[in-house]
């Protein structure tokens, strides 16, 4: 797992040139072998296939929404309101005659973009803060850690609600809010990992060779702490989509008539007593399956990367 | 133990100051003039100036913060801009409903998660384990507002067993209170139940592979005794952490669940206040929730040593 540790000369920095690299076993460098191994791991993990496939399908549909032959998600035909699922409307139609399926696909664009961008914000900011805190220690660590503690003091969704309420209900504000909420988990994780990795011999050797601190952080510490962060990113994506749906549900996300899964569920609440269940079912299933897929994907990646849980 | 608690409380102080700054800044960033919230359409400059002075809004922001913090420490979060009710009073009036819902949700999550995790861990890799694991994964993936709406649809509109929302105080009619409590507590507790099941299963599997479990079995102890006397007790530490964190999750989930089920707790109060831009109430609720969340985490840390005497709360724990 620790990339630099493949060097057979323990304590030698990995960027030491040719002779050391030549000592590395050829099969480790062989691309076909690596692909074969990766494919074998994927085949042995049905959850990885299920989760990954669903995420791929929903992502492709969301990206291609503008070119797919879908009815306009924002305008409906009032005479065709409240149609149950059938040939004309795959997921039924809503109270103003809009196609629920079309709104689910278009809504996926919002949910997935908020998910990916907010997790990227959390990942980049949190990991950078954690790296700095863990590597430099002292007052830098104290300052960053207290800031992270302060963010962790808030229940996550409450913090996201408060930030969005403060910044205003807009797409980019949802991304910022959920991104900020994601910072602490990445910061904590990367700080802990950095503390472990910086005590290793090859970091000591890199320092002794006079490498700049930025170089050590970027080239030697970051690659070796990435695995758990990637697992966390996958799990955080599930949370981000849930948080976006919650914000939209409360009317704090993207504003209507733009379709979002959370807002559509909230709109459908008023029609539950009439048993128009399909207005909730479409966006509800989409949210549930997307979060479910990210969760099982995260779990599978963790199981693959962590030998202790591989057989559990 | 006493020294540890004092040390932890001292560490909490700077965090609390940071939390209060975040809360204050966030509410000040909120779009819209709070004066408009109170006065509506009235734009008499003198009235506006008087109210601005009265609310302290004419002071520089740092001065406003210090004044606000000073009052907050004394338990005075100001008055609601909507109905002039003191924030502390508004929060404490609604707190019992939130606590009742939260406790019911935690109870529901334990009643579901402990048996599911036990079955799952003991019958590892069986069909029962597969079903329990899938249930817990699905539970984690359903947002509580979606589950709440699904429960209302099924049990209130299709089978007409429970009311779709509302609250009856315990003192007024206990039966009706409990009946109205069922759906919101399931909606709120389901996600916690799912997380608890996963964590407890994992902890039980770890414990069941330990030597002392094999020794207990070798001594001829029954499976049930091994499970309840040795395994479950040792698997309690991660569960305790999770329960502590789940109280926080329940607290945040209450914001949504209370809104869906018209449950008059602090969550519903906060959501309404955000809609009304009633920032003294938002500040009060958010700050109190954060303080409560931190205290719960502290209590969880302290309770580790009570469950597992091997854990000593020394200097390195801070």
């Amino acid at each position: 797992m620790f990339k630099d540790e493949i060097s057979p000369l323990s304590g030698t920095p990995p960027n030491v040139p040719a002779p050391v690299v030549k000592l590395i076993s050829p099969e480790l460098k062989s691309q076909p072998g690596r692909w074969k191994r990766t494919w074998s791991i994927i085949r042995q993990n049905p959850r990885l296939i299920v989760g990954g496939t669903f995420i791929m399908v929903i992502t492709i549909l969301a990206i291609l929404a503008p070119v797919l032959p879908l009815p306009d998600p924002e305008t409906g035909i009032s005479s065709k309101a409240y149609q149950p699922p059938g040939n004309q409307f795959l997921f039924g139609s809503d109270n103003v005659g809009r196609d629920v399926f079309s709104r689910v696909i278009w809504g996926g664009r919002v949910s997935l973009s908020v998910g990916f961008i907010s997790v990227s914000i959390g990942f980049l900011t949190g990991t950078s803060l954690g790296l700095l805190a863990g590597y430099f220690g002292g007052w830098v660590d104290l300052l960053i850690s207290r800031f992270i503690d302060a963010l962790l003091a808030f229940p996550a969704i409450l913090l996201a609600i408060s930030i969005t309420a403060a910044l205003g209900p807009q797409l980019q504000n949802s991304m910022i809010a959920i991104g900020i909420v994601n910072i602490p988990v990445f910061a904590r994780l990367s700080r802990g990992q950095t503390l472990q990795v910086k005590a290793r011999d090859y970091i000591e050797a890199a320092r002794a060779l006079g490498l700049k601190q930025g170089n050590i952080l970027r080239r030697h510490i970051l690659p070796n702490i990435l695995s758990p962060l990637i697992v966390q990113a996958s799990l955080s994506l599930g949370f981000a989509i849930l948080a976006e749906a919650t914000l939209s549900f409360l009317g704090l996300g993207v504003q209507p008539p733009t379709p979002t899964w959370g807002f559509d569920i909230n709109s459908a609440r008023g029609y539950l007593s009439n048993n128009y269940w399909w207005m909730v079912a479409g966006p509800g299933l989409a949210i549930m399956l997307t979060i479910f897929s990210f969760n099982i994907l995260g779990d599978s990646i963790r199981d693959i990367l962590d030998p202790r849980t591989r057989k559990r | 133990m006493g020294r540890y608690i004092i040390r932890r409380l001292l560490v909490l102080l700077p965090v609390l100051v940071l939390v209060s700054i975040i809360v204050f800044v966030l509410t000040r960033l909120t779009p819209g003039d709070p004066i408009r919230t109170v006065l509506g359409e009235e734009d008499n400059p003198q009235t506006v100036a008087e109210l601005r002075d009265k609310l302290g809004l004419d002071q520089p922001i740092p001065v406003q913060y210090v004044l606000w913090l000073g009052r907050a420490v004394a338990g005075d979060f100001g008055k609601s801009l909507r109905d002039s009710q003191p924030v502390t009073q508004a929060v404490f009036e609604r707190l019992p409903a939130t606590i009742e819902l939260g406790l019911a949700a935690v109870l529901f999550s334990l009643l579901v998660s402990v048996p599911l995790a036990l079955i799952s861990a003991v019958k590892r890799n069986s069909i029962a384990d597969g079903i329990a694991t899938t249930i817990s994964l699905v539970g984690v993936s359903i947002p509580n507002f979606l589950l709440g709406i699904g429960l209302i649809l099924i049990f209130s509109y299709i089978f007409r067993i429970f009311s779709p929302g509302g609250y009856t105080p315990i003192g007024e009619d206990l039966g009706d209170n409990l009946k109205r409590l069922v759906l919101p507590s399931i909606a709120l507790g389901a996600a916690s139940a799912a997380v608890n099941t996963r964590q407890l299963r994992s902890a039980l599997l770890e414990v069941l592979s330990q030597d002392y479990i094999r020794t207990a079995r070798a001594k001829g102890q029954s499976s049930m005794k091994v499970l309840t006397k040795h395994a479950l007790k040792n698997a309690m530490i991660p569960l305790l952490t999770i329960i502590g964190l789940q109280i926080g999750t329940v607290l945040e989930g209450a914001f949504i669940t209370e809104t869906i089920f018209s449950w008059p707790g602090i969550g519903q109060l906060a959501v309404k206040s955000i809609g009304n831009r009633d920032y003294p109430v938002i500040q009060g609720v958010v700050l109190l929730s954060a303080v409560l969340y931190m205290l719960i985490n502290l209590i969880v840390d302290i309770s580790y040593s009570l469950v597992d005497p091997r854990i000593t709360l020394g200097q390195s724990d801070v």
Side-chain angles (χ1 to χ4, degrees):
Chain A
M1 205 166 354
F2 293 99
K3 196 175 139 194
D4 286 338
E5 287 178 79
I6 56 173
S7 165
L9 302 174
S10 177
T12 307
N15 62 335
V16 174
V20 175
V21 176
K22 277 183 183 168
L23 287 173
I24 295 170
S25 157
E27 54 269 20
L28 277 176
K29 293 176 73 188
S30 143
Q31 283 301 319
R34 192 179 293 173
W35 282 113
K36 212 171 165 183
R37 223 171 35 238
T38 309
W39 177 237
S40 148
I41 289 169
I42 291 172
R43 268 193 322 183
Q44 284 166 15
N45 283 277
R47 289 188 306 164
L48 189 75
I49 298 172
V50 172
T53 308
F54 183 80
I55 290 162
M56 240 161 36
V57 169
I58 192 83
T59 308
I60 290 170
L61 284 174
I63 291 169
L64 296 180
V67 293
L68 290 174
L70 294 168
D72 185 348
E74 293 181 13
T75 47
I77 306 159
S78 52
S79 61
K80 291 191 173 169
Y82 308 117
Q83 297 289 313
N87 285 338
Q88 196 181 358
F89 296 105
L90 190 62
F91 283 8
S93 68
D94 68 5
N95 54 317
V96 285
R98 293 175 301 197
D99 183 29
V100 174
F101 181 73
S102 176
R103 287 187 69 79
V104 166
I105 300 298
W106 279 88
R109 286 170 75 84
V110 173
S111 291
L112 291 171
S113 57
V114 171
F116 284 115
I117 294 173
S118 61
V119 170
S120 305
I121 293 172
F123 184 95
L124 293 174
T125 318
T127 304
S128 310
L129 288 175
L131 268 171
L132 294 175
Y135 186 74
F136 291 109
W139 65 268
V140 178
D141 185 20
L142 190 78
L143 216 65
I144 293 174
S145 294
R146 289 296 89 89
F147 172 66
I148 297 304
D149 284 347
L151 285 182
L152 279 171
F154 296 93
I157 294 278
L158 174 59
L159 185 59
I161 292 173
S162 308
I163 296 171
T164 321
L167 300 178
Q170 282 171 14
L171 181 67
Q172 64 267 35
N173 292 343
S174 300
M175 292 169 177
I176 294 170
I178 301 168
I180 292 174
V181 170
N182 267 311
I183 290 174
V185 67
F186 287 106
R188 278 257 168 118
L189 198 56
S190 57
R191 177 183 174 272
Q193 295 289 316
T194 306
L195 283 174
Q196 278 180 21
V197 172
K198 84 166 183 182
R200 292 182 188 268
D201 291 343
Y202 56 82
I203 301 296
E204 199 62 43
R207 273 202 212 111
L209 280 172
L211 255 71
K212 284 183 181 166
Q213 288 182 325
N215 260 342
I216 296 176
L217 277 170
R218 205 177 57 248
R219 293 179 57 191
H220 300 291
I221 294 186
L222 186 62
N224 286 313
I225 64 166
L226 269 181
S227 298
L229 291 168
I230 290 168
V231 174
Q232 185 55 49
S234 176
L235 295 169
S236 292
L237 272 163
F239 165 77
I241 285 166
L242 190 145
E244 188 282 324
T246 307
L247 291 177
S248 302
F249 180 82
L250 292 173
L252 292 169
V254 184
Q255 294 302 293
T258 307
T260 64
W261 294 340
F263 190 83
D264 282 4
I265 290 175
N266 196 12
S267 308
R269 270 171 74 199
Y271 305 96
L272 285 182
S273 54
N274 306 95
N275 274 351
Y276 298 143
W277 52 269
W278 54 87
M279 286 168 63
V280 170
L285 269 176
I287 293 177
M288 209 180 87
L289 289 174
T290 309
I291 298 172
F292 181 77
S293 302
F294 276 118
N295 284 342
I296 58 172
L297 191 72
D299 276 0
S300 311
I301 300 172
R302 181 178 51 204
D303 288 353
I304 291 166
L305 294 177
D306 186 354
R308 287 170 305 174
T309 54
R310 201 170 285 164
K311 287 184 178 169
R312 192 167 292 165
Chain B
M1 172 76 87
R3 275 169 59 194
Y4 172 77
I5 295 171
I6 291 168
R7 212 179 298 133
R8 281 293 303 261
L9 286 172
L10 286 176
V11 173
L12 278 187
L13 274 178
V15 178
L16 262 173
V17 173
L18 275 173
V19 164
S20 68
I21 293 173
I22 293 172
V23 172
F24 184 81
V25 170
L26 279 178
T27 38
R28 281 299 184 275
L29 283 176
T30 306
D33 188 351
I35 298 292
R36 288 278 143 251
T37 311
V38 183
L39 294 178
E41 291 304 309
E42 185 178 337
D43 56 357
N44 181 343
Q46 199 188 338
T47 319
V48 171
E50 276 172 10
L51 189 64
R52 205 171 280 281
D53 178 50
K54 191 181 159 197
L55 294 174
L57 296 170
D58 53 348
Q59 306 270 5
I61 294 281
V63 177
Q64 286 185 38
Y65 166 72
V66 172
L67 289 174
W68 170 76
L69 188 65
R71 286 194 299 266
V73 169
D76 176 12
F77 289 94
K79 287 179 179 176
S80 162
L81 297 179
R82 282 272 149 180
D83 54 16
S84 299
Q85 187 186 23
V87 175
T88 318
Q89 190 191 336
V91 169
F92 282 100
E93 258 177 23
R94 288 162 177 82
L95 201 56
T98 299
I99 291 174
E100 186 191 357
L101 178 59
L103 287 177
V106 171
L107 183 69
F108 169 80
S109 88
L110 287 177
L111 284 176
V112 173
S113 61
V114 174
L116 265 184
L118 277 172
I119 295 168
S120 203
V122 174
K123 305 273 178 197
R124 187 176 159 193
N125 294 335
S126 67
I127 296 171
D129 182 23
I131 294 170
T133 310
T134 310
I135 290 175
S136 65
L137 256 174
V138 171
V140 176
S141 310
I142 303 181
N144 60 3
F145 64 83
L146 180 61
L147 183 61
I149 287 175
L151 290 171
I152 291 174
L153 180 69
I154 296 167
F155 293 103
S156 301
Y157 293 126
I158 297 176
F159 293 113
R160 298 183 184 280
I161 302 171
F162 297 108
S163 152
Y167 175 75
T168 308
I170 299 178
E172 226 170 79
D173 184 347
L174 180 64
D176 196 50
N177 173 283
L178 293 176
K179 209 173 166 188
R180 286 177 190 274
L181 185 63
V182 175
L183 295 187
S185 55
I186 294 174
L188 189 54
S192 305
V195 175
N196 289 350
T197 305
R198 283 156 66 88
Q199 296 289 340
L200 188 56
R201 175 186 180 273
S202 186
L204 275 168
L205 285 176
E206 189 92 45
V207 171
L208 285 171
S209 65
Q210 299 292 318
D211 288 344
Y212 58 82
I213 297 289
R214 202 169 9 161
T215 310
R217 284 199 181 116
K219 279 164 68 185
Q221 286 193 355
S222 69
S223 299
M224 187 53 81
K225 200 169 178 185
V226 170
L227 202 63
T228 52
K229 199 179 167 192
H230 300 284
L232 200 56
K233 202 172 172 187
N234 282 296
M236 281 305 279
I237 301 251
L239 184 67
L240 210 60
T241 319
I242 294 301
I243 290 173
L245 293 174
Q246 291 315 301
I247 296 175
T249 311
V250 162
L251 192 69
E252 65 181 331
F255 285 77
I256 315 297
T257 313
E258 288 179 1
T259 305
I260 295 169
F261 288 95
S262 308
W263 193 267
I266 54 169
Q268 194 197 38
L269 175 72
V271 171
K272 272 187 182 169
S273 310
I274 287 170
N276 294 334
R277 293 193 190 123
D278 195 347
Y279 74 84
V281 180
I282 305 171
Q283 280 173 335
V285 174
V286 175
L287 192 62
L288 285 172
S289 304
V291 171
L292 204 64
Y293 197 55
M294 283 194 286
L295 287 177
I296 290 165
N297 285 337
L298 177 64
I299 293 166
V300 170
D301 281 356
I302 293 165
S303 58
Y304 286 157
S305 66
L306 300 176
V307 176
D308 189 343
R310 288 170 304 178
I311 296 174
T312 51
L313 303 171
Q315 207 158 2
S316 57
D317 297 311
V318 179

